[in-house]
Amino acid sequence: MGSNEVSTEFSKDLEFVPENGCLSIVVFGASGDLAKKMTFPALFNLYRQGFLPPSEVHIFGYARTKLSDAELRDRISGRLVYGEAASSELSEVVSNFLQLVTYVNGSYDSEDGFRQLDKEICEHEISKNSQEGSGRRLFYLALPPLTYPIVCKMIRDCCMSKSDLGGWTRVIAEKPFGKDLGSSEELHKQLGELFDEQQLYRIDHYLGKELVQNLMVLRFANRFFMPLWNRDNIDNIQIVFREDFGTEGRGGYFDEYGIIRDVIQNHLLQVLCIVAMEKPVSLDPEHIRDEKVKVLQSVLPINMEEVVLGQYEGYKDDPTVSDTSNTPTFASFILHIHNERWEGVPFIIKAGKALNTSKAEVRVQFKDVPGDIFKCKKLGRNELLIRLQPAEAMYMKLTVKKPGLEMSTIQSELDLSYEQRYPGVTIPDAYERLFLDSIRGDQQHFVRDDELKVSWEIFTPLLHRIDEGGMKPIPYKRGSRGPEGADELVTKAGYVRKQGYIWISPSL
Ligand code: BG6
């Protein structure tokens, strides 16, 4: 934190279930890629910061692959300290963490493995002087969603903690939750018969990103923005996600889902909710999620004339992708929010793979200044940029006097670049934060059932049209800005692009 900044601890008005006592974390899909790259490193980081005390915690990996404890530890150890310089102190922390991790081998659809898992969890609880079944049990599903119903049923039948003894059971599930409204509702029904909404944590890791969390503070803790954040002052808002790599290694999964289901229906829509929602009554997770649902309910049906789809050239060369695939790897469209604050303000959503850059940002463009006495309109409009990644930053593009004797103007920016402003501060990984939230029982940054339903309602007509071949993605070159028509759509929506102005991140 900069020396002239004061930090405030705010009370969340939340009644957390007690955070201590025996805790068992079970990672299903422990031998897979997601577990290795994201889950175990996030748990390790929580451990080294003291959030997972060895006196209480044990981590169970579970998967179908036959592995010993040592083999699982070996598999995950290399990614725990990715990019950090080796030191004896660090290796000791790693080795202590690995001692907390053991492996249970079993299938996902028969009770044997789950009974064994329960037995080992009970042994852990007893070893911590807790009564069998009285501990906190957190199950994380790093698995294909098709397996969720059966795995949840097995947890329900074999591995539940006993709430009458003070224990709790929570399940964290990764997207995609279904492929459209119908399948999502079906999944919801199946899981709903097994667990209460308070036990289900639908993870959307974008909600755990530092700058996404800061969006709320920015909007609701700053007088500056309150009077400006509406249709009278804002011309258009863009929410953009770009990746400069394709679907390599994930083609089979991606071809089933496409870019809209992969990142837009979840990550970008969640960001839109926070940008557009009204101030919640309090920071109570339900108050926040209530406001997000209202935004989603106010989104008008997508106008198919305002959609541009693309597929990068070479996508179908992947042997796991169908030769006739109609799956978009790029999509851009306009969402309109029909409410008092936003009517007439286009929300331009754009996401694509294999583009020229990798970045995720929110770009709020303000209207022209009325009565332009400085004739500065041609320089460009005021914009507020919230750059989620890489090089986390918020900056405001504004017109200022060019230094010197003449009265002429230039565009400059007020820049809060995190790396420069907070040198040495490590921004926690999204998964780390979300794991901690789920242990604490805070569902604020998880997707509630009604949010999920409305978000599928928005996209299902468009998705069905694409699935039925009624809309074809336009081919675009790898490393380009996307398909023809994408930039035109943005211009048509009212975004004024200023050629020649480039923001240079101080940290890059
Ligand atoms: C995942 C998508 O949910 O998010 C991926 O399935 C995408 O396709 C990823 O690459 C992006 O996450 P991040 O945190 O790297 O922006």
Side-chain angles (χ1 to χ4, degrees), residues 226-246:
M226 288 174 195
L228 296 181
W229 209 260
N230 55 44
R231 62 197 298 270
D232 298 334
N233 300 290
I234 292 176
D235 190 275
N236 60 77
I237 297 185
Q238 290 188 60
I239 301 176
V240 177
F241 167 96
R242 297 169 169 274
E243 275 180 348
D244 61 3
F245 50 90

Side-chain angles (χ1 to χ4, degrees), residues 369 372 374-383 396-402 408-414:
V369 172
D372 180 20
F374 293 105
K375 307 271 177 283
C376 55
K377 185 172 163 181
K378 59 179 184 313
L379 289 177
R381 291 170 161 177
N382 287 151
E383 282 184 7
M396 213 187 293
K397 285 163 68 167
L398 69 176
T399 303
V400 295
K401 180 183 171 300
K402 189 170 178 182
S408 59
T409 55
I410 47 166
Q411 267 223 324
S412 185
E413 71 274 311
L414 295 176

Side-chain angles (χ1 to χ4, degrees), residues 304-318:
M304 304 294 161
E305 302 294 309
E306 293 183 326
V307 178
V308 174
L309 303 176
Q311 188 185 75
Y312 66 84
E313 290 171 6
Y315 169 69
K316 288 187 277 209
D317 296 347
D318 181 334

Side-chain angles (χ1 to χ4, degrees), residues 142-428:
L143 292 173
L146 270 181
T147 60
Y148 290 177
I150 185 68
V151 171
C152 286
K153 181 163 182 334
M154 293 293 162
I155 298 172
R156 178 90 234 169
D157 291 349
C158 311
C159 303
M160 296 294 282
S161 68
K162 299 192 176 99
S163 53
D164 51 336
L165 295 180
W168 55 244
T169 306
R170 293 180 189 146
V171 176
I172 308 179
E174 281 284 344
K175 63 157 225 321
F177 308 109
K179 289 189 77 180
D180 59 7
L181 182 59
S183 50
S184 164
E185 286 289 274
E186 178 57 29
L187 182 62
H188 175 57
K189 188 168 151 273
Q190 290 172 323
L191 301 193
E193 282 164 7
L194 301 164
F195 292 104
D196 295 339
E197 186 59 24
Q198 288 68 31
Q199 294 178 299
L200 284 175
Y201 286 70
R202 295 180 199 85
I203 205 165
D204 184 313
H205 78 280
Y206 265 57
L207 290 175
K209 288 191 187 279
E210 181 70 30
L211 272 268
V212 176
Q213 302 209 334
N214 204 351
L215 258 170
M216 276 238 313
V217 181
L218 185 78
R219 282 200 54 203
F220 300 123
N222 289 290
R223 190 81 203 203
F224 278 143
F225 296 113
M226 288 174 195
L228 296 181
W229 209 260
N230 55 44
R231 62 197 298 270
D232 298 334
N233 300 290
I234 292 176
D235 190 275
N236 60 77
I237 297 185
Q238 290 188 60
I239 301 176
V240 177
F241 167 96
R242 297 169 169 274
E243 275 180 348
D244 61 3
F245 50 90
T247 60
E248 296 86 340
R250 298 173 73 222
Y253 150 80
F254 192 88
D255 204 42
E256 279 278 300
Y257 287 89
I259 195 79
I260 299 174
R261 293 181 176 100
D262 189 44
V263 296
I264 298 180
Q265 177 267 343
N266 30 67
H267 305 331
L268 300 198
L269 204 61
Q270 286 293 327
V271 173
L272 175 136
C273 286
I274 300 173
V275 170
M277 73 185 189
E278 297 302 313
K279 186 188 270 189
V281 176
S282 76
L283 290 178
D284 182 297
E286 298 318 320
H287 287 157
I288 294 170
R289 299 197 296 178
D290 288 346
E291 293 307 331
K292 285 164 63 193
V293 176
K294 286 188 212 160
V295 173
L296 295 173
Q297 288 169 332
S298 307
V299 173
L300 295 175
I302 297 171
N303 174 356
M304 304 294 161
E305 302 294 309
E306 293 183 326
V307 178
V308 174
L309 303 176
Q311 188 185 75
Y312 66 84
E313 290 171 6
Y315 169 69
K316 288 187 277 209
D317 296 347
D318 181 334
T320 60
V321 168
S322 143
D323 293 342
T324 55
S325 172
N326 196 40
T327 302
T329 58
F330 176 100
S332 181
F333 46 81
I334 318 290
L335 292 182
H336 300 274
I337 301 177
H338 182 62
N339 67 14
E340 195 176 337
R341 187 184 286 274
W342 295 117
E343 188 168 300
V345 181
F347 283 75
I348 306 160
I349 310 292
K350 197 190 304 184
K353 300 241 172 209
L355 297 175
N356 55 341
T357 52
S358 279
K359 66 178 175 186
E361 65 185 20
V362 178
R363 184 177 291 260
V364 181
Q365 187 172 72
F366 290 83
K367 291 183 190 269
D368 289 326
V369 172
D372 180 20
I373 57 172
F374 293 105
K375 307 271 177 283
C376 55
K377 185 172 163 181
K378 59 179 184 313
L379 289 177
R381 291 170 161 177
N382 287 151
E383 282 184 7
L384 172 67
L385 265 289
I386 298 122
R387 183 189 268 247
L388 311 181
Q389 62 192 36
E392 289 89 346
M394 291 184 197
Y395 60 94
M396 213 187 293
K397 285 163 68 167
L398 69 176
T399 303
V400 295
K401 180 183 171 300
K402 189 170 178 182
L405 286 176
E406 278 176 43
M407 176 49 83
S408 59
T409 55
I410 47 166
Q411 267 223 324
S412 185
E413 71 274 311
L414 295 176
D415 191 340
L416 168 62
S417 279
Y418 273 48
E419 214 170 301
Q420 202 186 43
R421 183 64 185 164
Y422 306 112
V425 172
T426 309
I427 294 184

